[in-house]
Structure formats: structure tokens, C-alpha cells
Amino acid sequence: MWLFLVAVIVLLLAIIVVRGGEYLALYGRNDIERFGAVVGLFRNFDRLFRTRFGPIEILGSCHPDVIQQVLSNVDCLEKPFFYRFTGLENGLLSAKHQLWKKQRKTLNSSFNLKILYSFIPIFESCCRKMIEDLNELAAAGPTVNIMNCASKCTLEMVFGTTIGIDVTNQSNEKEILGYVERLFNLVSRRMLTLHLYFDWVYRFTKDYREDRKLRTICIEKANELIDEQKKRISSRKDCNRNCCDELGSESHYRKPRIFIEQLLEESNEEEEKFSVEEIYHNAYTIILAGNDTSALSVAHSCLFLAMYPHIQDKVYAELRNVYPCEDSPITPDNLKQLEYMEMFIKETLRLCPVVPNIARQAVNDVWIDGKRVPKGSIFVVSFYALHRRKDIWGPDAYQFDPENFHPDRTKGRHPYGYLPFSGGPRNCIGWRYAMISIKVMLIYLLRTFKLSTDLRQTDLRYRFDLTLKLAFEHLVRLERR
Ligand code: HEM
């Protein structure tokens, strides 16, 4: 049996060597070198490169014209098979095209601005806890790993707005956070390791056994929380029916409408829009897609604020102007006034797009950049390389400069030249959620602390991963204002 397996693996590797030497360039290197090798591959080809993985054709690009043709093409809205390693094939991120189309149409309305703004009080309460944690850590040592506190905060936010449960009240909160993070790491590793694509290889690994174990624990825990919430919603519905006349409809609007509530309501409609599995998979998907991404964005932002004190002063001055007192309330209107902070966040996501690469699959034969691409081919797009193109961003493309997003400079820029949240109909559904929550987190951080570091931008090294991870910790010094 083992001999047979080894023979098959050798044969597969031989196919890859003959038909796609680029993959082998990734083996035998450390994570930092692998990241560099992948970015180098995209940079070496100005428009489009083609290679093969066994029978499947793979096309890669970091050119805005080509990316636009792929992401806006209705025949390229499918996700390749490896997205299904998340185990959430009935949720938006990994769903097959037809299921995705039905779900996205319904879920778009769950991410409208009115609903997102109703989450501000939840975001604020999570931020207050983050500041408490940071105060303790800042008193305990010279530097703080800002990513630890940011990811705890974003996980609390997504749990709070998706399932409506305060995870900080759970006695085993730290354990839950650890499990979710570890599971995400295992899924990432499988997506990025070619020989683990084959189920029959993966099943023999330690990762598989750990994946199964963690998945069972996480799903049990999440199901428990969702069931608790379901009961609360139905008892509230009974109460609403009884007390409707006394309360009127206004109280309903002031309350944040968390996602699970909306998903459950969708499934109650006559045509049964979402199955039970779809509800669960979408709740987990939102938690998975919204946690690490937003936390990394805040952690990268803090590093840039600490590295460039004059930019930090400018962001802070604007903040003081909009929120003169420590406890000035955060409202949708005053969030919109933070124009420089928005330029700063956009620049952070340009140089550090936390989702550096994405993939799509053609469901029919398509024509891309004048070439016929057969059905089933996989497109890989590098946002990291796109965001550093000198023909879009000028000779200083590698320099951190929020002025890149000044309205005078953005005029006439290619619509697919800046895509931290991807583009086309299958872009990030949570992009407005992310921008609001990141702003609220930065307001709290900067109101309380001045950030500094000895690091320089040239010191930043990234690891080959699904999200843009630094090769070292996000350490900053915090001084109370
Ligand atoms: C800075 C933070 C974020 C970034 C940079 C980001 C980026 C992205 C990108 C690039 C995609 C496309 C992925 C692909 O095609 O493979 C995506 C999809 C998605 N994101 Fe985000 N995201 C962020 C935050 C969030 C948040 C906060 C949520 C939810 C609360 C969220 C929910 C989703 C979902 C559900 C999808 C799948 C959409 C679909 O296929 O229709 N994201 N995100």
C-alpha cells in the first residue's frame, strides 16, 4: 500500500515537473522565500502567464486589464475546488456558482449601510475591552504584539454581529479563539500545499486528524451558540407579537439586526430560501472571512502609524477635530468626516492587501486578453503585485503615502488598479463592514495611545499564506496620551 502511494506521488510530481516547473520552485524553500517566489512569478509576466497542473490549465495575472476581464466575466464566477477545503461549500465564499448567485442576491441586503451602522455600539463595546487589555499589556512590558489584541477584538465583533453572542462571556473564550485560528491555519496550509490537494493523501496526514478534531469542537460550540440564539429570537418574536402595540416598530430599528437573525428570517419565508446547512455555513463563513482579515489590517495599520510619526500626527489631529472629547459619540455622520484616516487605511491595504491572491475557475470556454481559455481553467490573480505596479502607482510605488488616495490623484486611475476587496460581482461582501470596524478600532487606539517602533518599511517580510502575514510579530510601543 505504502509503496503504491509513494509511486503515485512520484508520478504526480513528475507530471508537475514536466508540465509546471513553477510549482516546484516553491518546494524546499522557507515561507518568506516562497512568498517572494510567487510575487516574482507574477511580476515576470506583464499581462498573463499560462502553466498547467496536471490536466488543468492555470493562468495568472497582475495586470489591471486582464484582471478586469476575468473578475467581471459571468463565466469566471466559479471558485476552484480547493476553496472547498474550508468545509463550508454551502456558504458564500466557497459555494458553487449557482448556489452562490442565489445566496449573494439575498445576503447583499444584509450588508446594507443601515444594518452595518447599527453595529457601531457592538464595535465600540469590543474596542473598550481591547483598550483595557492593551492598558495592562503596555504597563507590563516595553512592546506589545498588537495582532493578538486586534484579533481577539475582531473575533468578538464578528461573533457579536453574526451570532449575537458575547464570546467574552464564555468561560473558554481563549480556547475558542485558539481553535478557530488553528483550524484556519490548517485550511490555509492545505490550500497552499499541492500534494495535500488529493483527499487520499491528506487522509494519511497528522493535519487531517487535527482538522477533523478541531472542526468537530468548533462546529459543536458554534451550533450550541446558534441554537441558543435561535431560541432567543423565537421567544423575542413571541414577545413582539404580544407587546407589538405597546412598543411600536421604532424599537426594532434601533436594535442591531445581527446576521443570524436575518438568515433565520430568510429561511422562514415561504420558498425556504436558505436550508439549515446554508444558514450554518454562512454564519461560519462570515466569522472566518471577517476575523483574520480585519485584524491583520488593523495590525498593519498600527505598524505604519508607528513607523511614520508625521502621518500618525495627521490622522490624530483629524480625529481630535471630529471627536474633541474622550467620550464624543461615534456616529455614521462623523465617521464619514474622517477623510484622511480613510486615505490612510486605503494606503495600508494597498501595500499590505491582506488577501494577496485569489482564484477563479472558468465554467465555459472564455476569451481573455485575446486568447481562448478552455472551460475548467483556473485563474490566479495577485493583488499584492497589482498594488505595487509602477505603471499605476508611479516610481514611488513601494513607498507608503496616503496621498495616493487624494481625490486629485485617484482621478483617471484604472478601475481595477486597486482591489483589496477583490472586484466584480463576487467581490468582498463585507468591505463596508470592514472599513467601519477598522475605523472604530483605530479611533479607540489613537485616542488612547501614541504608537512608536524602531522598524522601517524595508524590514517588513511576509510569509507565504492565504492572508498576508508578517514573518515576525507586530510589535509596537504604546505610550498613553
Ligand atoms: C480588511 C478586511 C477584509 C478584506 C481585505 C477582505 C477581502 C476579501 C476578498 C479579497 C474577497 C474575495 C475572496 C476570493 O474571491 O477568494 C473576500 C470575500 C468575502 N469576504 Fe471579505 N475581506 C475583509 C473583511 C470581511 C468582513 C469583515 C466580512 C464579513 C463580515 C467579509 C466577508 C466576506 C465574504 C462572505 C466573502 C465571500 C463573498 C462572495 O464570494 O460572494 N470580509 N473578502
Side-chain angles (χ1 to χ4, degrees), residues 79 83 92-93 100 104 111 285-286 289-290 293-294 297 354-355 358 360 420-422 426-430 433-434 438:
K79 293 288 179 78
Y83 276 78
L92 215 49
L93 182 69
W100 167 80
R104 178 82 189 219
F111 283 83
T285 295
I286 294 171
T293 46
S294 303
S297 309
V354 293
V355 182
I358 58 148
R360 292 279 188 277
F421 297 103
S422 187
R426 207 162 181 176
N427 68 345
C428 174
I429 198 170
Y433 179 115
I438 293 170

Side-chain angles (χ1 to χ4, degrees), residues 227 230 264 267 272 274-282:
D227 288 344
K230 261 180 170 173
L264 289 168
S267 72
E272 188 76 15
F274 282 80
S275 68
V276 175
E277 203 164 42
E278 283 173 65
I279 294 174
Y280 282 61
H281 279 201
N282 273 299

Side-chain angles (χ1 to χ4, degrees), residues 43-77:
R43 281 207 191 113
N44 285 343
F45 297 86
D46 179 46
R47 292 187 77 90
L48 189 67
F49 67 85
R50 296 173 93 137
T51 179
R52 297 193 76 86
F53 174 52
I56 304 173
E57 179 147 30
I58 315 260
L59 297 99
S61 181
C62 66
H63 194 287
D65 290 346
V66 181
I67 296 176
Q68 181 168 23
Q69 290 173 47
V70 174
L71 296 186
S72 59
N73 192 320
V74 285
D75 285 325
C76 300
L77 287 173

Side-chain angles (χ1 to χ4, degrees), residues 165-179:
I165 299 276
D166 186 353
V167 270
T168 50
N169 285 342
Q170 304 283 318
S171 53
N172 53 353
E173 184 210 357
K174 264 214 169 110
E175 261 176 83
I176 303 176
L177 294 180
Y179 293 152

